[in-house]
Amino acid sequence: MTSLTKKIDLSKIAFTLALVLIISRKYMMSFIDPNIDINAIKSLLFYGSIGILGLIFIFDSRKSISEILLVFICGILYILNREGAILLMVLLAVAAKKIDDKYIVKNYLIISVVFLIAVILIFNLYPWLKNNNQIHYRYIAKTNSSVPRMDYGLGNPNSVFYRMIPIYGAYIFLRFKNYNLIDRLILFGSVFFIYKTTYSRTGFITIFAGLIVVEIIRVIDIKKFKPLAMLAKISPIILAFMSIILGTVFYKNSWLNGILASRPKYWNVYLLQEGNFLKLFGNSYDAIVKSSYPLDNSYVYAITTLGLVTFALFMYILYKGIGSFIEKDKKAYLVVLAMFLIYSFGEELLLDSAYSFAIVLAIKEFISIDNREINLYKRINRRKKC
């Protein structure tokens, strides 16, 4: 029985199960008709994943001080703003602290591929099940005509790249050391193919830029260039600052709204019109506001919905995590994190635990920096004996 227990890593099984629940909930929220009441199932999946990850945390006797503080703070923040995004991310990172990073990434890759293929097959075989049956068009100035945009059965052409980003990121992470011409052909070729069928500019520009970053980071030792290393560490803060400026100062600029598909105008609704981006614990927005004005920016989401406290904590974690990646020369980690950071400027992705494995790895790295480990259960037993 002991040898069997050694062979079976319960923490890995629990992590995988929790991730399946998280991704299942995300797909249900994205594709099931909003007229169907699935609130009970969503709550069950959410609290089920929290419960599994929480048990891993509780039964792990050795914890760092940073780990304990982080879980405690995020638990309090969840009580205050009722947004579980950062709490789920932290619990995933804590549960994964003794799990090999490649196992984590492979989980995201395999589960994401399975769910994406399943949804595409289901909605193409049974289109009447699709929540959104609209036909989307993109105006092409060169031909002075509108062309249909494919959505592959996902209801929105932008959804294809959105759900491909963890797959691209995981592929690059796992192939980074052996990255070759065939990998480049597969990735660049698929990006161009998806763009030519969906005309999703956000996804195309972001993932294309991410693939260029792969080439740059492979040949440059960021650690040797101090200004570049500092730029990498503060890049999330820069992107957040740019988002706020665009949404508060330049939100009426027609050129910017044209380039960014009216995003600055919508960001302004959350930052100023319907909320106050200086609130410590975030704003609550009406369902009508959320459906009428797509947020499509992770940084604006973090500061407006989660609040300044959570936003500041998140930026600090990323700053320290990126710094540690640079010091340890973890280039594969920097590449995939850069992809998620860039993509999140135009989509609400960064704090989405169903996709953003790069943030889970960054939080895990942040936790690992602290060597002040304590054994809570030994201390409790000592006090009982006394």
Side-chain angles (χ1 to χ4, degrees), residues 228-292:
L228 191 58
M230 179 54 69
L231 182 64
K233 288 193 283 187
I234 64 171
S235 57
I237 300 169
I238 293 171
L239 288 167
F241 184 73
M242 285 174 57
S243 302
I244 294 166
I245 292 297
L246 287 173
T248 56
V249 180
F250 298 105
Y251 70 98
K252 289 183 178 179
N253 186 290
S254 57
W255 182 78
L256 285 171
N257 276 297
I259 293 294
L260 297 170
S262 299
R263 282 178 172 86
K265 183 170 62 177
Y266 295 148
W267 297 344
N268 183 262
V269 173
Y270 292 89
L271 289 163
L272 295 175
Q273 294 179 38
E274 296 292 334
N276 179 0
F277 73 94
L278 296 177
K279 277 195 173 182
L280 292 178
F281 302 109
N283 302 270
S284 295
Y285 298 100
D286 191 87
I288 297 173
V289 172
K290 291 180 180 179
S291 61
S292 302

Side-chain angles (χ1 to χ4, degrees), residues 36 68 151 199-200 205 244 302 373:
I36 300 172
I68 295 168
D151 62 13
Y199 291 98
S200 177
I205 292 169
I244 294 166
E373 203 172 65

Side-chain angles (χ1 to χ4, degrees), residues 32-39 41-42 129:
I32 291 183
D33 192 327
N35 294 317
I36 300 172
D37 186 9
I38 56 167
N39 289 326
I41 300 172
K42 287 193 298 183
L129 288 172

